[in-house]
Amino acid sequence: MMLNREKNSFRQTLASHGIRLTRGRATTLQVNVGLLCNQSCHHCHLNAGPGRDEVMGQETIDQVVALAGRFRFETIDITGGAPEMNPHISDLLRRLAPLAPTVILRSNLTAVSEPGRRHLLDLCSGRRITIVASFPSLNRNQAESQRGPGVFDQSLATLKELNKRGYGRPGSGLSINLVVNPAGAFLPGSQARQEKQFHRALEKKWGIAFNNLYTFANMPLGRFRAWLEKTGNLEGYLQKLTAGFNPCATDGLMCRTMISVAWDGTLFDCDFNQAAGLFLNNVRTHISEIDELPRPGTEIMVADHCYTCTAGAGFT
């Protein structure tokens, strides 16, 4: 059965529930430092990979630090690609760490273990930077079918290195949170159940500890959308997302309190709108042009990929 796009558009669905998706106070600065990555994951909504050369340069890094110093966000979330592969990442982490109570580095657990980058583990632990790490499966074959050969053992080795530095250990104040996403065109299972399963298995088999686990649905954008189209799964997957719409999930969406900066300094509501090309306030604005943060009540740009963040218990 084909989806009635007009009737079931995300904007129409919001309207039918009497919901206006608008901004609150911006408390999180998300910084995407580039699309270069050492992995080419099947689900990547940004088409990041080893062949990409888009990385945030020093001038934009300086502008990000200036913005963070000016507006004092509660959380700064650094992502990519593999953010560890940006040549300025050490400088960025050192300068941002004092500017927010929580600074997050999103890691795929393999780029940081490559030659010349292991010092980043000490830099992060020394500045109490939270690690959010992709670890999609306890099964080696499933993890490597999604992320590439050798990824599973490399990821375990990095988790052990982080544990040695105190990450995930009680009383250390160093947090590492894992992210799990489905291997195909289906929605994730219970987050609470998977967290228990991962805690038990990682501790028993490899002596690895972590703090929290988050289950995320795959975004029908970029490489994952291309795979959905190629395999004939796009319509069915969109129907699952649409059927799972939960109006209560719209209250806690990250886009309500986030401003997202792309590698070239362009501003968006979130990382997914970066992939979709939906600019903040529907106007292409560079970080160097911003005089004030978006005001509460400002409309958030939406499209049908937003169903992913509102399916079931919600994405964020």
Side-chain angles (χ1 to χ4, degrees):
M1 182 178 69
M2 295 294 289
L3 196 66
N4 184 325
R5 292 286 173 223
E6 186 173 352
K7 180 181 177 183
N8 292 290
S9 75
F10 187 73
R11 188 176 295 280
Q12 286 291 325
T13 297
L14 289 178
S16 69
H17 286 82
I19 297 171
R20 285 188 68 237
L21 197 58
T22 57
R23 291 187 148 275
R25 185 171 68 89
T27 58
T28 298
L29 174 65
Q30 184 181 64
V31 186
N32 190 312
V33 296
L35 306 183
L36 177 61
C37 189
N38 64 330
Q39 298 180 11
S40 299
C41 299
H42 294 169
H43 67 281
C44 185
H45 61 276
L46 288 166
N47 286 324
R52 302 300 295 263
D53 58 7
E54 302 95 329
V55 292
M56 185 173 283
Q58 186 65 60
E59 184 177 358
T60 309
I61 293 274
D62 293 342
Q63 291 164 342
V64 166
V65 173
L67 185 80
R70 209 165 129 209
F71 294 108
R72 295 289 175 163
F73 297 88
E74 294 175 7
T75 301
I76 299 175
D77 180 3
I78 302 170
T79 186
E84 299 98 324
M85 297 180 76
N86 184 301
H88 308 291
I89 190 63
S90 297
D91 176 54
L92 183 67
L93 291 170
R94 288 192 187 96
R95 295 166 71 188
L96 288 182
L99 298 181
T102 301
V103 175
I104 296 170
L105 176 68
R106 300 203 180 223
S107 174
N108 64 21
L109 295 175
T110 59
V112 74
S113 67
E114 293 182 343
R117 299 198 192 103
R118 295 183 68 81
H119 68 284
L120 290 173
L121 298 176
D122 294 324
L123 193 161
C124 287
S125 60
R127 286 163 175 77
R128 310 182 85 73
I129 291 170
T130 295
I131 304 292
V132 174
S134 304
F135 192 80
S137 176
L138 294 167
N139 180 286
R140 175 181 277 101
N141 290 335
Q142 286 183 8
E144 297 193 353
S145 69
Q146 184 182 104
R147 294 182 169 267
V151 163
F152 192 74
D153 287 338
Q154 276 185 286
S155 299
L156 291 177
T158 302
L159 287 172
K160 289 177 181 177
E161 286 292 326
L162 289 166
N163 280 173
K164 284 181 185 175
R165 287 163 175 79
Y167 275 99
R169 301 300 186 187
S172 70
L174 295 171
S175 296
I176 178 165
N177 303 315
L178 303 185
V179 173
V180 174
N181 60 287
F186 52 91
L187 302 184
S190 163
Q191 180 168 290
R193 185 171 64 247
Q194 288 196 62
E195 183 174 277
K196 285 181 183 177
Q197 182 186 10
F198 273 64
H199 271 302
R200 187 167 55 244
L202 285 172
E203 178 63 40
K204 183 178 179 181
K205 293 183 180 179
W206 298 288
I208 289 171
F210 66 95
N211 295 94
N212 304 296
L213 179 142
Y214 306 123
T215 56
F216 290 172
N218 292 320
M219 190 63 59
L221 294 168
R223 195 173 291 130
F224 186 63
R225 187 179 185 94
W227 177 83
L228 290 170
E229 291 173 342
K230 181 180 177 182
T231 57
N233 282 299
L234 178 62
E235 198 64 32
Y237 188 65
L238 293 178
Q239 287 182 21
K240 287 176 187 172
L241 295 177
T242 304
F245 177 74
N246 174 9
C248 297
T250 61
D251 291 340
L253 292 175
M254 64 179 178
C255 54
R256 288 190 182 275
T257 56
M258 171 184 285
I259 178 171
S260 182
V261 188
W263 67 272
D264 63 354
T266 305
L267 304 180
F268 297 87
D269 290 304
C270 69
D271 198 54
F272 307 121
N273 279 2
Q274 281 192 35
L278 296 178
F279 302 122
L280 180 76
N281 293 333
N282 206 26
V283 177
R284 184 167 194 142
T285 306
H286 191 264
I287 189 172
S288 60
E289 302 173 298
I290 187 169
D291 295 323
E292 59 180 9
L293 296 179
R295 295 180 179 178
T298 305
E299 184 183 5
I300 295 168
M301 297 298 104
V302 299
D304 287 354
H305 64 270
C306 301
Y307 275 119
T308 316
C309 291
T310 56
F315 195 110
T316 52

